[in-house]
Structure formats: C-alpha cells, structure tokens
Amino acid sequence: MSPNPMVGAVVVKSDVIVGQGYHQYFGKEHAEVNAFNSAKVDVAGATLYVNLEPCCHFGKQPPCVDRVLAARISRVVVGTLDPNPIVNGSGIRQLRENGIEVKVGVCEKECRRLNEAYFKHVMTGLPFTTLKIAQTLDGRIAASNGRSQWITGERSRRVVHKMRSQHDAVLVGIGTVMADDPQLTVRLSRGVSPRRVVVDSRLRIPLRSHLLTDKLVEKTIVATTAKAPKSKIKKLEKLGAEVWILKANSEKRVHLPALWKKMGAEGITSVLVEGGSRVASAVLKGHLVDQIYIFLAPKILGGGLSAIENLGINDLRKALLLSSFTTKNVGEDLLITARLLETKS
C-alpha cells in the first residue's frame, strides 16, 4: 500500500450497496475502480462514497475521475481532500464541472486519521513517527545488567509485531543492536516485515548480527556519519545492507532531523521507533514523535535503565504535553497510547 494512502469506496444505488472495493496494492487499481468492477448492475445514477478525493492525474493508474465520469455516477460523497499538490481539490472541481454533485467533509476527522502517515509525508516530506516503549511500572526498560528480554508479556510482543507490519520502517539505536541482537521482523503476527533502520554514528554494528545475516538483510539500513570507517561501509554493503552517510550533530552523532528527511525522501512514510533510551530521548527532544505507545508491565525493578533520559527540561511548564490518551489491557500488561502535542518538524 505505502506510499499510497488507504482508500475504500462504496457504490450505492436505490439505497442498496451494489459495489465496493479498496486499493489493495501499490501500483494496482484504485478503490473506485475496484468498486465499479465489483458491481453486478449498471451503476449509472448511483452515489459513490469514498474516504479520499478521487485522483485526477496519471500515475501507475489512470485518473479515477475519468472512470467516475465514464460510469455516469450522479453523486460523490468524499471524506476529505487529498493534500497531494497534484490533486488537492482538482479532482472535486473536475467532477463538479462535469455536472456531478459532490459533498466533501463527511467523517473528515476519521478519514484524515486513517491516512495520517500519508498526510504528514505529503505535507512535510517526513515520516509519521510512533515511539514504542516497553517498561516496568517504575519506568525501567532493562535491568542494571542491561538485560531487557522480556519486560512485557507475549501478547504485548504480538501487538508490537503487528505494529511493525503497519509501518514502513522500524528504527533502533546501535545500543539495542549490541545488547539484544534483534531481528526487527514480523514473526508473531501476519504482515510484511518493514525496513530496518539502525542509528550507528561510529558504525559499530557487528557483522554477525541478525540484521546483517538474515534473509532480509536488503531491508537493513545503517545510518552513520562521515567518520565511519570506509572499510566497514564496504563490508556492510557487500553483505547487502544499505548505508546512509549523514551529517553529524554537535555531539558527533547522526543528526536525526537529517535522517528523518532522508527517510521521507526514500519513500518511508511511517517509522516505528523501538529504542533504546538514548534514541527514544533524542526523538522526543527533537520533536520528531507524533504518537507514543507505552507498554506497562506489572513489575518493579527499583534500578536499571530508565526509559527516557534527561531531556533538558527544568520547568514543568515546558514539559512535553500528551493528549488523546487511551488505555487497553494486553494480557498482563497495560498499553497506554497518546499523542504528542505541538510536534515540530
């Protein structure tokens, strides 16, 4: 699907649903076309319901507006406009100019939420970012010896694997790779494994790590700086991984805003940040996070590695603000979901 938006369409005639479809794969027929193709009756005079404005340009598929006109639809109900500059109201205008009644903004909030990753990517060039933290009740993500497997239960891990399948990429820091040697794949849920991004400023990633030796090595991206040894870069590329050389920040680490721009430019519309504490703290401090998932395990360690490091906030009035809280029991754990307010790009 990505980088295309999620779109569904329903055709209604005489108060009966006569056709329905959705955009199933990137490059394949769009939702409107699939809805028309599924109809067993003539759809002339029917109403088309679609969550996103029909496209009006040629891409991998011809314009949906042309197909709507050819089907002689009389009315189109649209959830929200498409923010893509080559559409953005043009599809609606063409339909109206050809005598079709168009209503826009039905369930708009829900429609925009459905495609929030697409909207952010189109409007900013950056990926929609989810930060995932698995911690004890006292805010620890690992014991004092560095071990973190497993803070949460199996059901929570299944949810995380499902989350991976819903993002274009999953991102961790080199500390997580060195400590846990993760696979970052979808194994406990159905879905496609995402691209895997490792923030590794000095290129310390072990050549025998799972990320460089499994069958998905071509999905591994290592983000580093110009200080990385050229010989190590060649070894990683020979193994099949991709190496991105990005500018460094004042601490000689990968400049995360540059990495986010690079991910967006490479078609990554959504990224799941899985840790550890240094990366989690950096993305929060850099205002790169859109939403956060915190899995709370019913455990207390009393010491160990904190989930979030010092963010340099010394005034409660400057604390990062969260909203839209939801809570859900996941096995023995509690999942808290929230949005970051005033996220800056």
Side-chain angles (χ1 to χ4, degrees), residues 60-280:
K60 292 185 179 296
Q61 293 290 325
C64 289
V65 165
D66 292 352
R67 184 62 187 271
V68 174
L69 296 176
R72 293 180 295 155
I73 292 292
S74 63
R75 181 168 177 259
V76 177
V77 178
V78 178
T80 182
L81 296 178
D82 187 337
N84 190 328
I86 59 178
V87 185
N88 198 19
S90 297
I92 301 298
R93 184 176 65 253
Q94 289 186 28
L95 291 173
R96 286 173 173 164
E97 289 175 348
N98 282 275
I100 295 179
E101 177 188 350
V102 182
K103 183 177 180 61
V104 183
V106 177
C107 297
E108 183 172 9
K109 181 179 179 180
E110 293 82 357
C111 291
R112 291 181 65 89
R113 184 70 174 266
L114 176 67
N115 281 305
E116 55 193 346
Y118 169 76
F119 272 69
K120 181 175 183 181
H121 185 252
V122 167
M123 298 172 71
T124 68
L126 302 174
F128 183 87
T129 302
T130 301
L131 172 62
K132 186 274 295 184
I133 297 174
Q135 65 177 55
T136 61
L137 287 177
D138 54 341
R140 308 299 179 181
I141 62 172
S144 56
N145 63 2
R147 294 183 63 86
S148 62
Q149 298 179 342
W150 296 100
I151 291 285
T152 53
E154 182 179 351
R155 288 187 62 180
S156 290
R157 295 196 293 276
R158 290 183 182 276
V159 172
V160 171
H161 280 232
K162 182 63 177 179
M163 290 170 59
R164 289 176 183 173
S165 73
Q166 296 169 339
H167 288 76
D168 290 342
V170 57
L171 182 145
V172 297
I174 185 58
T176 296
V177 176
M178 301 287 283
D180 299 334
D181 191 18
Q183 298 179 58
L184 305 180
T185 56
V186 176
R187 305 181 304 281
L188 304 179
S189 176
R190 296 179 60 183
V192 178
S193 292
R195 299 170 80 177
R196 307 173 298 189
V197 181
V198 180
V199 183
D200 186 3
S201 302
R202 291 183 286 157
L203 215 54
R204 294 184 292 145
I205 185 170
L207 296 178
R208 294 184 178 181
S209 64
H210 278 121
L211 299 178
L212 297 177
T213 56
D214 65 13
K215 295 180 180 180
L216 298 177
V217 63
E218 292 184 354
K219 284 193 170 186
T220 298
I221 299 166
V222 182
T224 190
T225 67
K227 294 293 184 180
K230 291 182 173 54
S231 59
K232 185 73 173 284
I233 293 175
K234 292 181 179 179
K235 290 178 181 179
L236 266 59
E237 292 176 336
K238 186 175 181 179
L239 289 172
E242 193 172 348
V243 179
W244 290 352
I245 301 176
L246 303 169
K247 73 176 183 179
N249 60 19
S250 59
E251 298 176 335
K252 298 182 180 180
R253 295 172 180 162
V254 171
H255 185 62
L256 292 185
L259 173 55
W260 256 245
K261 289 182 181 179
K262 176 66 173 178
M263 288 193 292
E266 292 293 327
I268 295 175
T269 65
S270 59
V271 59
L272 174 65
V273 178
E274 289 203 31
S277 61
R278 177 170 290 178
V279 169

